Amino acid sequence: MQTFSDYNKNAWDIEVRNHSIWTCPVSSEVITAAKKGDWQITLTPSKTVPRDWFPEPLTNKKVLCLASGGGQQGPILAAAGANVTVFDISPEQLKQDKYVSGRDNLLINTELGNMKDLSRFSTEYFDLIIHPLSNCFIDDISPVWKECYRVLKKGGSLLSGVSNPIQFIFDLKYWNLGELVIKNKIPYSDLNDLTPEEIKELIIDQNEAICFGHSLHAQIQGQIDAGFIIAGLYEDNSRGNGPLDPYIDSFIATRALKQNM
């Protein structure tokens, strides 16, 4: 029986074939600049991550790009000197990182798997975890925070992009038309809050990934409960293209630290 994770893996493979913005590898020019120290990455649609959120120097730091395939964050950080592992559920997304690695002579390790299970990695192995906007594609994010805390070294950082749950209170059918019609409660789940007919019409027929709207408590306090200290936060929007953009920034980036104790 196919699980929602299996479905989402296939959905993201299709996104790659359709050249979604989140699956297009960065250019050789971006990699060349990164090798010279001129680089930036995003966790959310638009704003770049402040450079002081990264360890200095980045050279030889062990970095996990979690649910971060697509040939974007991982290759840039590898070009900047980090020892990068890209972990993703989509084989096609990982192929994008392999493509950039071969094209621009980078060393990148790619790992196929579910973001909730990092058991293949040793405790306190990574210096930094990059976790761009992606936990809206899993039903329970608490294992992600706990596993990130486990595999991070003391003094390490987790940089995450998450969705403000306000996005998920609206009727999906009207949302896709650019209209805001309040319908749902948080936490939200496509599986529980859409009818079978709506799932077929709005998700399966359009090859969209199944989404979950997690509360701010689960996304922010969840990191704290796992042991992290929240040391930075900013908000972002959908580059001005989303229905909520005229009213509120509906994405959040956080910097969480594992205490050096």
Side-chain angles (χ1 to χ4, degrees), residues 32-59:
T32 298
K35 290 179 178 179
K36 297 177 181 178
D38 179 13
W39 58 270
Q40 57 189 15
I41 67 168
T42 59
L43 297 168
T44 51
S46 179
K47 293 182 181 179
T48 58
V49 183
R51 282 292 290 268
D52 61 6
W53 280 22
F54 297 90
E56 184 64 39
L58 190 61
T59 305

Side-chain angles (χ1 to χ4, degrees), residues 49-236:
V49 183
R51 282 292 290 268
D52 61 6
W53 280 22
F54 297 90
E56 184 64 39
L58 190 61
T59 305
N60 295 325
K61 291 293 190 297
K62 293 179 180 177
V63 177
L64 174 63
C65 291
L66 180 60
S68 180
Q72 299 181 1
Q73 293 89 359
I76 290 174
L77 295 174
N83 181 353
V84 173
T85 296
V86 179
F87 188 99
D88 203 278
I89 199 171
S90 164
E92 294 298 317
Q93 279 283 72
L94 291 177
K95 284 182 181 179
Q96 303 296 69
D97 293 276
K98 294 175 183 177
Y99 165 73
V100 181
S101 176
R103 183 193 68 192
D104 297 318
N105 193 29
L106 301 173
L107 292 177
I108 299 175
N109 176 44
T110 58
E111 296 280 346
L112 182 68
N114 189 306
M115 70 180 86
K116 293 196 293 184
D117 180 9
L118 303 181
S119 59
R120 72 190 70 181
F121 301 118
S122 302
T123 297
E124 296 186 4
Y125 182 79
F126 294 102
D127 298 285
L128 174 68
I129 298 177
I130 303 296
H131 184 42
L133 187 67
S134 58
N135 70 32
C136 54
F137 302 116
I138 56 173
D139 57 340
D140 181 8
I141 58 177
S142 60
V144 177
W145 304 139
K146 292 175 182 177
E147 278 290 87
C148 285
Y149 189 85
R150 180 185 66 81
V151 302
L152 262 182
K153 295 179 182 178
K154 293 175 182 176
S157 300
L158 165 65
L159 311 185
S160 304
V162 303
S163 296
N164 186 318
I166 194 173
Q167 296 182 45
F168 295 93
I169 70 173
F170 300 101
D171 188 302
L172 180 58
K173 184 172 183 178
Y174 288 98
W175 175 275
N176 289 339
L177 297 173
E179 300 178 30
L180 300 176
V181 177
I182 294 177
K183 176 186 176 184
N184 306 310
K185 294 181 179 180
I186 301 300
Y188 168 84
S189 164
D190 281 344
L191 297 177
N192 297 330
D193 295 299
L194 296 178
T195 66
E197 293 75 19
E198 288 174 323
I199 291 176
K200 182 179 185 303
E201 175 188 358
L202 300 172
I203 297 178
I204 295 177
D205 289 349
Q206 300 176 44
N207 296 309
E208 297 285 345
I210 292 170
C211 288
F212 303 86
H214 304 292
S215 68
L216 283 177
H217 185 276
Q219 300 197 94
I220 307 299
Q221 184 63 38
Q223 295 182 62
I224 297 170
D225 289 343
F228 287 106
I229 294 176
I230 303 298
L233 183 150
Y234 63 85
E235 294 175 295
D236 196 6

